[in-house]
Amino acid sequence: MPPWQDELSDEQVGDVLAFLTVLEDPVRRGEVTFKTNCVLCHGVRGDGKGRAAKLYDPPPVDLTRSEKSDEYREKIIRLGGEAMHRSSGMPPWEERLTKAEIDDLIEYLRTISVVPRPR
């Protein structure tokens, strides 16, 4: 391993370490996937109040209050809203997200839920 003290600042080393912890945690990986792909419509908090939410009727669902099962969530993420007889504003993600990313995303969605729901 090369010496990094002359290449990276203490802050940069800390950033690398923080990044490595994300790689090991499915919830944190799911949060990254959410904030990269879902936040525009579903909002930073997952409450359906993203910047683009006002463009859709019906508006994006409040994921913090969703009582849908993990199986349902996996299907609607993969197939999109229209395939599930829901809003066509929810695009299908199976071409853009891997199965692992979808699984991590579902793990993250569990952590923002404020209502008990089936798994």
Side-chain angles (χ1 to χ4, degrees), residues 80-94:
E82 194 166 12
M84 299 292 290
H85 307 288
R86 301 290 300 265
S87 171
S88 62
M90 171 67 180
W93 289 95
E94 69 183 340

Side-chain angles (χ1 to χ4, degrees), residues 29-93:
R29 290 190 312 255
E31 181 179 9
V32 170
T33 299
F34 180 85
K35 289 182 176 177
T36 303
N37 299 288
C38 312
V39 73
L40 189 60
C41 296
H42 289 284
V44 173
R45 292 178 188 84
D47 57 8
K49 297 179 181 172
R51 294 180 68 180
K54 62 185 167 200
L55 302 174
Y56 297 100
D57 185 26
V61 70
D62 179 348
L63 297 170
T64 67
R65 301 206 173 274
S66 174
E67 295 178 342
K68 300 296 186 188
S69 69
D70 289 347
E71 179 182 87
Y72 181 90
R73 287 177 175 206
E74 183 269 333
K75 284 182 182 176
I76 199 164
I77 292 167
R78 255 187 336 96
L79 303 174
E82 194 166 12
M84 299 292 290
H85 307 288
R86 301 290 300 265
S87 171
S88 62
M90 171 67 180
W93 289 95

